[in-house]
Amino acid sequence: MADHGERIRLVMLGGAGVGKSCIVKRFLFGTFCDRYKSTVEDLYYREYDLGSVTLKVDMLDTSGELQFPAMRRLCIATAHAFLLVYSVTCPGSLECVKRCLDEVREQRADFQDIPIVVAGNKIDMPAVHREVRVDDVTEWLYCEMPKLRVKVMECSAKEDRNIKDVFRSYLSLSKILPEASEGSGAGAGGSSGGGLKRRSSAYVSNKGSRRSASPAVSGAEAEASGSAGPAAEPTGLSRFKPRSRSLIRRSSRKAKQQMRDANDDCHVS
């Protein structure tokens, strides 16, 4: 059972224009806007009462551009779960997701234990425009990283198709609740073990000593009420306190050196 004072962080990664912001806004507010506006970093906060578990969730919507590498590294280092988004109409966006996953593997020694959902957005587009098949994505994950705790799904933020299922997938991936109905998409692998952990390879020395990792807080916090959504059980976590931007910058520099040490232990079976 999660501590009522604990919070977990879901980080959304993917290329520009694939619909990361549209997905989270459709889920939280039930809205959709077809006008594209580039995101730098937006933070949304929600609490979810699952009966036996109360979850305090930060949803971090990140930039699809690569001009903020330090911010990106810090987001990856402090995440407890990832939502990787591509567009089914753009093969290049899937390549971007693959690069994002490579970054996670490089920075997080515990990457095989992190719940990950890979979501193909824009299935509302006519079939003639589809260029990425869900079977190809699933095959890639099975072949390249069979031991990941991951699920592949397709959705449409515009038509509100499978949006709630994308976030509900974290319930089963993080072992909070039993595996529910599969819905659309397929799961690729899945390792046994507990739920989400705050421990990050960026904060672990070679001797295995731990330091508490405090997520960076930035962007706008939305206040509207949302439906039951993403969930994952933070087990054995230390209570975190929001940090100022000056502390975040210092933490980023400190973590950068520790990442180099920790990367030696990161390998794929």
Side-chain angles (χ1 to χ4, degrees):
M1 181 178 298
D3 188 319
H4 287 271
E6 296 295 346
R7 295 166 81 169
I8 61 175
R9 171 158 293 201
L10 169 65
V11 172
M12 287 163 275
L13 299 173
V18 295
K20 299 185 298 297
S21 299
C22 291
I23 288 174
V24 70
K25 289 178 180 178
R26 170 63 80 177
F27 174 66
L28 292 176
F29 314 122
T31 60
F32 176 80
C33 179
D34 57 5
R35 289 179 297 178
Y36 175 71
K37 181 179 180 181
S38 179
T39 300
V40 175
E41 189 176 273
D42 289 328
L43 181 67
Y44 304 89
Y45 171 72
R46 285 292 182 277
E47 285 191 15
Y48 298 97
D49 184 1
L50 303 179
S52 61
V53 180
T54 298
L55 297 174
K56 298 181 179 181
V57 184
D58 290 328
M59 303 179 199
L60 187 61
D61 182 13
T62 65
S63 172
E65 306 295 339
L66 299 178
Q67 67 252 46
F68 307 106
M71 184 184 299
R72 190 180 186 87
R73 286 193 298 269
L74 190 59
C75 291
I76 292 175
T78 58
H80 308 122
F82 292 97
L83 174 58
L84 307 181
V85 182
Y86 67 93
S87 169
V88 299
T89 65
C90 179
S93 66
L94 179 59
E95 294 303 314
C96 185
V97 162
K98 292 180 180 180
R99 291 193 295 270
C100 290
L101 191 53
D102 285 339
E103 290 183 61
V104 173
R105 292 167 60 191
E106 290 171 3
Q107 296 186 43
R108 299 290 295 269
D110 59 345
F111 71 93
Q112 290 183 331
D113 298 323
I114 302 174
I116 299 172
V117 172
V118 179
N121 191 29
K122 303 187 181 181
I123 58 173
D124 54 275
M125 298 292 287
V128 66
H129 295 300
R130 176 185 281 268
E131 297 191 45
V132 182
R133 298 188 309 139
V134 67
D135 291 343
D136 294 335
V137 180
T138 304
E139 182 180 359
W140 156 61
L141 285 169
Y142 268 123
C143 295
E144 297 292 329
M145 289 154 282
K147 294 184 179 181
L148 283 183
R149 186 177 295 172
V150 63
K151 187 167 186 177
V152 181
M153 303 188 70
E154 291 187 331
C155 63
S156 168
K158 182 176 182 179
E159 296 183 352
D160 195 12
R161 293 166 61 184
N162 300 332
I163 296 299
K164 290 181 182 178
D165 291 337
V166 166
F167 290 93
R168 285 172 178 160
S169 296
Y170 292 100
L171 290 169
S172 56
L173 287 172
S174 59
K175 309 300 182 183
I176 290 179
L177 298 178
E179 184 75 29
S181 58
E182 288 297 324
S184 61
S191 58
S192 61
L196 297 178
K197 300 179 181 179
R198 178 150 296 146
R199 184 184 180 213
S200 163
S201 62
Y203 296 88
V204 180
S205 68
N206 291 332
K207 294 182 179 180
S209 61
R210 296 189 182 185
R211 300 182 182 178
S212 59
S214 299
V217 178
S218 60
E221 293 195 4
E223 296 296 336
S225 61
S227 56
E233 181 179 14
T235 57
L237 305 184
S238 60
R239 190 181 302 275
F240 88 86
K241 297 180 180 179
R243 307 176 70 178
S244 67
R245 290 188 178 276
S246 60
L247 286 176
I248 291 171
R249 288 193 292 268
R250 291 200 295 272
S251 173
S252 179
R253 290 195 297 269
K254 193 172 184 179
K256 189 174 181 180
Q257 178 60 42
Q258 292 170 336
M259 286 176 195
R260 298 193 184 100
D261 298 334
N263 282 343
D264 295 335
D265 300 327
C266 181
H267 65 277
V268 181
S269 302

